[in-house]
Amino acid sequence: EQVERFLSQLADFAAANKISLGPLKNVVKSILLVPSGALKRNLSPEQVRADFVALGLSEEKASYFAEQWKLNAPTLTRLAVAQTLMINQLIDMEWKFGVTAGSSELEKVGSIFLQLKLVIKKGSEVENVYVELTLPQFYSFLHEMERAKTTLESFS
Amino acid sequence: LSATRFASRQAPSKDAVRQLCQECFSCPPARLGPLAQRACPAIAASPEEAAQLVAALRGLTRHVVFRGLTRAEDILALFPEDFHQNLKNLLTKIILENISAWRNEAQASQISLPRLVDMDWRVDIKTSSDTINRMAVPTCLLQLKIQEDAALCRNSPVVSALTVELSKETLDTMLEGLGRIRDQLSAVANK
């Protein structure tokens, strides 16, 4: 849907400047190769400027582009990282807990249960996983996740 | 609750009675028949008597666990007046010995959502991808071992392993949620 938005912006641009859309699309496609290559190779603004000049762009325009790159590269990098392949990405977690009052086998129980619903992205689909934990399991889970967070932070 | 008259002439050993009680409690209703057949020679004169006996024992033990009876007097009160005295005392003793194990068993086999049985985690560092040649992004992999509802699987519960990936942000958010659960649990415990 982002692609469609971009294409419609292009169409508006073409109409506003009285250029035909077809050739504009080709030009833009080629231009986009430069920043995506720069992103991939983690190029500095200087290197981007040099690349554009080598491709035939004027000094002034290349410098302008390099400035834009300097401003936007961190955001672009972050977006690219966020798009990196993730296996069964956890996208949401819901929970509820309550007390089991009784059952067909035990008239009075009074045990606390915790139910988690994990929303997981599998490829392009979303799957819900329901899991029940006892209290000791919950505390153990919390403890382990805090350890994982500490580890993650030490590598950031 | 219907108790049955033991043929006291049979007089099986105490251990045999203990064993029988445990088997009757844990036996699913559908399998009482085969259990009775196996137990028959030792405890009763005829297959019909064995079947009645086994069913009655199961009923008795399950009733005690259901009501949560813990005192000998309460259990003794369940037997009919003319029940064999020594046997009554023996059965009560056996039941009291097993009550908490049986209670746990009943709770473990309660209906529930799939249960967590184990979890492991690992932190990986992503170094490269198709969009970026070089990076150093830590990510967390969490593996949950989940067992399907025990009641549905009878003898062979199905355990599946689910591996989930969490970014640092996701993990932080999850910990916030878990922290809130912990706070609410403390609030409930302190009431």
Side-chain angles (χ1 to χ4, degrees), chain A residues 39-41 77 80-81 84-90 93 95 97 100 103-109 111-112 114-116 118 120 122 129-133 135 137-139 141-142 144-149 151-153 155-156, chain B residues 62 65-67 103 106-107 109-110 112-117 119 121 123 125-126 129-135 137-140 142 144 146 162-168 170-172 174-175 177-178 180-182 184-185 188:
Chain A
L39 194 60
K40 197 161 174 185
R41 282 142 50 216
T77 309
V81 166
T84 311
L85 180 66
M86 280 196 103
I87 319 280
N88 290 348
Q89 184 184 6
L90 180 69
M93 177 178 88
W95 49 268
F97 68 85
T100 303
S103 75
S104 42
E105 275 121 38
L106 297 163
E107 195 176 32
K108 291 198 196 80
V109 179
S111 60
I112 299 186
L114 174 69
Q115 287 171 356
L116 290 181
L118 304 170
I120 296 171
K122 284 192 157 177
V129 174
Y130 296 89
V131 120
E132 196 170 289
L133 282 75
L135 274 196
Q137 280 178 324
F138 164 71
Y139 285 114
F141 183 60
L142 174 59
E144 288 304 314
M145 290 293 92
E146 281 174 344
R147 287 180 65 209
K149 173 178 161 148
T151 308
L152 265 187
E153 280 177 346
F155 283 111
S156 294
Chain B
R62 290 255 157 192
V65 169
F66 178 75
R67 297 295 307 286
R103 217 182 143 76
Q107 243 179 304
S109 58
Q110 220 163 261
S112 73
L113 285 184
R115 289 184 185 157
L116 184 71
V117 290
M119 68 155 280
W121 61 266
V123 166
I125 312 266
K126 298 200 258 210
S129 82
D130 51 341
T131 42
I132 302 194
N133 281 356
R134 291 186 60 187
M135 56 176 166
V137 178
T139 188
C140 178
L142 172 64
L144 303 168
I146 298 175
L162 172 69
T163 304
V164 165
E165 188 172 342
L166 294 79
S167 67
K168 185 172 173 309
T170 310
L171 182 56
D172 287 342
M174 182 199 236
L175 275 171
L178 294 178
R180 268 180 277 139
I181 297 177
R182 181 196 48 210
Q184 290 204 10
L185 284 172
V188 166

Side-chain angles (χ1 to χ4, degrees), chain B:
Chain B
L1 171 70
S2 64
T4 202
R5 258 189 214 143
F6 243 106
S8 56
R9 65 181 185 273
Q10 300 292 333
S13 72
K14 287 193 181 146
D15 283 336
V17 176
R18 184 171 290 121
Q19 170 92 352
L20 187 62
C21 284
Q22 284 166 342
E23 281 181 13
C24 287
F25 177 83
S26 304
C27 183
R31 307 255 284 283
L32 280 177
L35 176 60
Q37 277 176 345
R38 263 184 293 132
C40 179
I43 56 163
S46 68
E48 295 79 32
E49 267 191 16
Q52 277 181 333
L53 178 62
V54 149
L57 257 182
R58 183 176 197 277
L60 174 65
T61 51
R62 290 255 157 192
H63 179 85
V64 172
V65 169
F66 178 75
R67 297 295 307 286
L69 303 176
T70 48
R71 297 181 315 156
E73 308 87 78
D74 297 328
I75 301 174
L76 287 167
L78 294 171
F79 293 88
E81 289 281 323
D82 56 353
F83 201 86
H84 190 277
Q85 187 68 13
N86 288 345
L87 188 56
K88 181 164 68 172
N89 291 336
L90 175 62
L91 284 175
T92 303
K93 180 162 169 281
I94 292 173
I95 289 176
L96 284 173
E97 279 169 4
N98 283 292
I99 274 235
S100 74
W102 282 343
R103 217 182 143 76
N104 289 340
E105 190 178 314
Q107 243 179 304
S109 58
Q110 220 163 261
I111 56 169
S112 73
L113 285 184
R115 289 184 185 157
L116 184 71
V117 290
D118 199 8
M119 68 155 280
D120 288 306
W121 61 266
R122 172 176 112 185
V123 166
D124 281 359
I125 312 266
K126 298 200 258 210
T127 55
S128 180
S129 82
D130 51 341
T131 42
I132 302 194
N133 281 356
R134 291 186 60 187
M135 56 176 166
V137 178
T139 188
C140 178
L141 293 175
L142 172 64
Q143 185 184 75
L144 303 168
K145 292 230 179 74
I146 298 175
Q147 183 186 75
E148 292 303 315
D149 188 347
L152 292 175
C153 311
R154 283 297 154 191
N155 288 328
S156 46
V158 176
V159 177
S160 58
L162 172 69
T163 304
V164 165
E165 188 172 342
L166 294 79
S167 67
K168 185 172 173 309
E169 292 75 30
T170 310
L171 182 56
D172 287 342
T173 309
M174 182 199 236
L175 275 171
E176 258 176 59
L178 294 178
R180 268 180 277 139
I181 297 177
R182 181 196 48 210
D183 294 341
Q184 290 204 10
L185 284 172
S186 308
V188 166
N190 290 336
K191 277 212 174 82

